[in-house]
């Protein structure tokens, strides 16, 4: 709040040679945001692809992400449909449906089974190895989800426009992995090298199999 004073305040003269020391405002520069767009061979955006930048040698950034390590069941759907978690994470599976669910996976990096549990209950599972975990529900066959367990802190999921922003890397060349269940490649992965510069958007074209949605 600012106050208007109706009178003047006399400021005594400073001795010669003395100066006011103005406060120095320091602000850390925000991390560079590297924008990547993933499109298919027809130029259409690929939604829910995972973009992983291999950490440079000697990188000390902590392996963590700002979002929760959680995948809910809501309206008989996994939410989010694709979740990125760091290697070793314990993932929570809260059930917000009025029906019971049973979660399972046969994926090699982390096979598991969670028995039936009901509304407003939560179960957890740890994933110790990097890779892709395909999820299903023993009760509702239409339910399908994916957990991408990664060992790099530089990872993001693409939006409706195929865009993913990866923070914290400067300009330079990097090894990149793009994962999506419909990518034509071993394990649904596309691997390549990109030269990244902050402030520019890079486009990655990946070959995908036909299919609706994911």
């Amino acid at each position: 709040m600012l106050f208007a004073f109706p009178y003047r305040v006399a400021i005594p003269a400073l001795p010669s040679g003395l100066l006011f020391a103005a406060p120095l405002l320091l602000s850390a520069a925000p991390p560079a945001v590297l924008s990547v767009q993933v499109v298919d061979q027809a130029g259409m955006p690929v939604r829910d692809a995972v973009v992983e930048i291999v950490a440079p040698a000697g990188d000390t950034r902590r392996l963590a992400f700002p979002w929760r390590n959680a995948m809910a069941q809501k309206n008989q759907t996994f939410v989010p449909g694709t979740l990125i978690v760091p290697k070793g994470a314990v993932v929570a599976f809260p059930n917000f449906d009025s029906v019971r669910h049973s979660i399972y996976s046969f994926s090699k990096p982390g096979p598991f089974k969670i028995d039936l549990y009901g509304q407003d209950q939560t179960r957890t599972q740890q994933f110790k190895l990097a890779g892709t975990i395909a999820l299903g529900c023993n009760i509702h066959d239409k339910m399908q989800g994916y957990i991408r367990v990664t060992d790099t802190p530089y990872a993001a999921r693409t939006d409706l426009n195929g865009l993913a922003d990866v923070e914290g890397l400067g300009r330079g060349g990097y090894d990149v992995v793009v994962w999506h269940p419909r990518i034509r490649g071993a394990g649904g992965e596309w691997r390549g090298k990109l030269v990244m510069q902050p402030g520019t958007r890079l486009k990655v074209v990946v070959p995908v199999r036909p299919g609706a949605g994911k």
Side-chain angles (χ1 to χ4, degrees), residues 107-118:
S107 300
K108 188 175 180 180
F112 72 99
K113 179 183 178 182
I114 296 176
D115 292 331
L116 282 168
Y117 64 108

Side-chain angles (χ1 to χ4, degrees), residues 17-31:
L18 292 183
L19 297 174
F20 279 117
L24 181 62
L25 300 179
L26 297 177
S27 60

Side-chain angles (χ1 to χ4, degrees), residues 28-54:
V33 177
L34 305 177
S35 185
V36 179
Q37 184 178 37
V38 180
V39 300
D40 64 17
Q41 57 267 47
M44 298 301 294
V46 179
R47 177 187 179 183
D48 287 338
V50 176
V51 178
E52 299 175 347
I53 311 298
V54 178

Side-chain angles (χ1 to χ4, degrees), residues 128-148:
K128 298 180 179 181
L129 300 178
T132 304
I133 310 295
L135 303 173
C137 174
N138 274 322
I139 308 302
H140 308 96
D141 290 338
K142 69 176 183 179
M143 291 180 64
Q144 189 176 34
Y146 299 94
I147 296 177
R148 180 68 176 181

Side-chain angles (χ1 to χ4, degrees), residues 60-78:
T60 58
R61 182 170 176 174
R62 189 167 67 95
L63 183 57
F65 300 106
W67 52 83
R68 291 187 60 204
N69 297 329
M71 177 178 278
Q73 294 120 82
K74 187 175 182 180
N75 299 324
Q76 298 185 25
T77 304
F78 287 112

Side-chain angles (χ1 to χ4, degrees), residues 108-199:
K108 188 175 180 180
F112 72 99
K113 179 183 178 182
I114 296 176
D115 292 331
L116 282 168
Y117 64 108
Q119 187 176 23
D120 296 329
Q121 294 183 321
T122 299
R123 299 292 185 268
T124 60
Q125 179 67 32
Q126 185 177 26
F127 298 98
K128 298 180 179 181
L129 300 178
T132 304
I133 310 295
L135 303 173
C137 174
N138 274 322
I139 308 302
H140 308 96
D141 290 338
K142 69 176 183 179
M143 291 180 64
Q144 189 176 34
Y146 299 94
I147 296 177
R148 180 68 176 181
V149 186
T150 183
D151 55 7
T152 175
Y154 306 106
R157 187 183 69 201
T158 59
D159 62 13
L160 286 170
N161 297 311
L163 295 173
D165 290 334
V166 182
E167 294 186 353
L169 287 168
R171 57 175 52 86
Y174 297 98
D175 293 320
V176 180
V177 180
V178 179
W179 172 88
H180 190 275
R182 291 198 293 118
I183 287 181
R184 296 181 184 272
E189 295 180 347
W190 175 92
R191 293 177 177 267
K193 292 182 179 294
L194 295 177
V195 177
M196 297 190 171
Q197 294 185 357

